[in-house]
């Protein structure tokens, strides 16, 4: 079941409307009991919940008995002076299970993550892991552990200080890439697309004006023009048509970003002209 979002992320009032209006007979299912959310730099929207929305969201979860799965791999990639508190930090009755990952912070191949939450849920998670994949890749764990040892040596035994310092540098890197992307979007896509400026992470969610379903444009014409975007339909819970596309500014150079958005603008103008004929 999808919950409406806007430029500031998941809408708590919309979540409550879904839960309050749930009719088990017509839906053929019990009211949802678990909420999955990416609250910071969300994939695909790039949106981030501020502290007020998180508090409102948590209040809805308490009223309706929801467990919250807080998938937050981009938490450390916030661009502001202070990072927004996590949902886990607001939890007072053991309903938030939080997930972090090094794959977005250290290296994409470092598939090492950790879960934090109520002991009963963590225990079941451990048992499931033992029965499915036994444990995370040993080589990746060893590399991450060695890196934390290096940080500890450089920061008087405080590995967390080294981690925090590194995260500040990574966030600054992505902020620079975000700025480059938004500058290029304003230069090439003004009047052709709409977007919100991400405050964290590596994604920008754009609505293509005059396009009801971006799938054909992105999967064929944009691909042929060597512009790599993901059509919004790929992220819809029920696979519905979407005018949105997801762009990632994580690896492309400033020159590549500018050229990609220039080519996208040309495709949108061509599509606009075809609709006028």
């Amino acid at each position: 079941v999808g919950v409406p979002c806007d430029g500031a992320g998941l809408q708590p009032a919309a979540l409550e409307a879904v839960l309050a209006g749930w009719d088990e007979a017509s839906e053929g299912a019990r009211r949802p009991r678990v909420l999955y959310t990416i609250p910071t730099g969300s994939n695909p929207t790039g949106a981030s919940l501020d502290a007020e929305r998180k508090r409102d969201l948590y209040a809805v979860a308490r009223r309706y008995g929801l467990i919250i799965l807080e998938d937050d791999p981009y938490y450390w990639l916030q661009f502001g002076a202070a990072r927004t508190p996590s949902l886990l930090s607001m939890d007072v009755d053991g309903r938030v299970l939080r997930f972090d990952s090094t794959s977005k912070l250290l290296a994409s191949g470092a598939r090492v993550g950790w879960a934090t939450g109520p002991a009963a849920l963590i225990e079941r998670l451990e048992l499931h892991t033992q029965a499915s994949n036994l444990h995370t890749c040993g080589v990746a764990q060893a590399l991450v552990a060695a890196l934390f040892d290096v940080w500890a040596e450089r920061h008087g035994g405080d590995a967390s200080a080294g981690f925090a310092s590194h995260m500040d540098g990574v966030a600054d890197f992505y902020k620079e890439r975000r700025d480059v992307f938004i500058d290029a979007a304003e230069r090439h896509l003004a009047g052709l697309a709409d977007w919100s400026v991400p405050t964290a992470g590596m994604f920008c969610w754009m609505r293509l004006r005059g396009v009801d379903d971006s799938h054909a444009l992105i999967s064929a014409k944009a691909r042929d023009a060597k512009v790599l975007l993901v059509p919004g339909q790929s992220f819809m819970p029920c696979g519905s048509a979407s005018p949105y596309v997801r762009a990632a500014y994580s690896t492309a150079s400033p020159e590549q970003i500018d050229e990609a958005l220039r080519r996208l603008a040309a495709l949108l103008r061509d599509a606009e002209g075809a609709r006028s004929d």
Side-chain angles (χ1 to χ4, degrees):
V1 179
V3 178
C5 301
D6 58 21
L10 187 149
Q11 298 173 301
L15 171 62
E16 182 151 30
V18 169
L19 298 172
W22 192 268
D23 182 78
E24 294 187 357
S26 62
E27 296 290 349
R30 295 176 59 191
R31 189 172 67 197
R33 300 292 302 276
V34 177
L35 172 69
Y36 171 83
T37 183
I38 306 175
T40 309
S42 179
N43 182 8
T45 68
S48 299
L49 295 174
D50 61 20
E52 181 178 2
R53 278 210 182 186
K54 286 184 178 180
R55 285 191 290 268
D56 291 344
L57 174 61
Y58 185 77
V60 173
R62 296 190 75 187
R63 283 196 291 274
Y64 291 90
L66 288 179
I67 290 175
I68 300 174
L69 303 183
E70 183 181 25
D71 188 5
D72 216 3
Y74 311 104
Y75 175 81
W76 291 93
L77 303 184
Q78 297 181 56
F79 306 144
R83 294 182 176 91
T84 304
S86 66
L87 285 162
L88 179 66
S89 71
M90 302 175 183
D91 191 15
V92 296
D93 50 11
R95 67 177 64 256
V96 178
L97 185 59
R98 177 182 171 81
F99 302 95
D100 289 90
S101 174
T102 63
S103 64
K104 303 297 187 292
L105 307 177
L106 303 180
S108 58
R111 297 290 173 173
V112 177
W114 61 97
T116 313
L121 293 179
I122 294 296
E123 180 184 6
R124 301 307 300 178
L125 192 61
E126 288 178 344
L127 291 173
H128 178 73
T129 296
Q130 292 170 15
S132 57
N133 62 352
L134 191 58
H135 59 73
T136 302
C137 171
V139 174
Q141 291 188 72
L143 290 172
V144 173
L147 179 57
F148 271 81
D149 288 341
V150 170
W151 283 333
E153 292 177 3
R154 294 178 178 176
H155 293 269
D158 186 1
S160 63
F163 174 80
S165 176
H166 182 73
M167 291 306 100
D168 288 343
V170 175
D172 288 343
F173 170 83
Y174 280 113
K175 182 180 182 299
E176 291 176 1
R177 289 298 176 93
R178 187 278 312 268
D179 292 344
V180 167
F181 184 92
I182 295 301
D183 286 347
E186 291 174 347
R187 187 162 51 252
H188 297 296
L189 296 175
L192 297 171
D194 302 297
W195 58 88
S196 296
V197 178
T199 60
M202 56 189 71
F203 304 115
C204 186
W205 188 235
M206 299 187 293
R207 183 179 70 85
L208 306 184
R209 294 188 183 183
V211 176
D212 295 324
D213 183 2
S214 65
H215 186 270
L217 177 69
I218 298 306
S219 61
K221 293 182 178 180
R223 179 201 61 198
D224 293 343
K226 300 188 184 302
V227 177
L228 181 59
L229 300 165
V230 183
Q233 183 183 34
S234 300
F235 303 99
M236 296 298 109
C238 300
S240 55
S242 170
Y244 287 87
V245 297
R246 189 204 74 178
Y249 45 81
S250 52
T251 60
S253 68
E255 294 77 18
Q256 289 172 327
I257 289 172
D258 186 77
E259 178 62 17
L261 296 190
R262 186 194 67 79
R263 294 183 188 183
L264 176 61
L267 292 173
L268 291 173
R269 291 191 184 95
D270 288 345
E272 186 176 49
R275 289 193 301 271
S276 301
D277 293 341

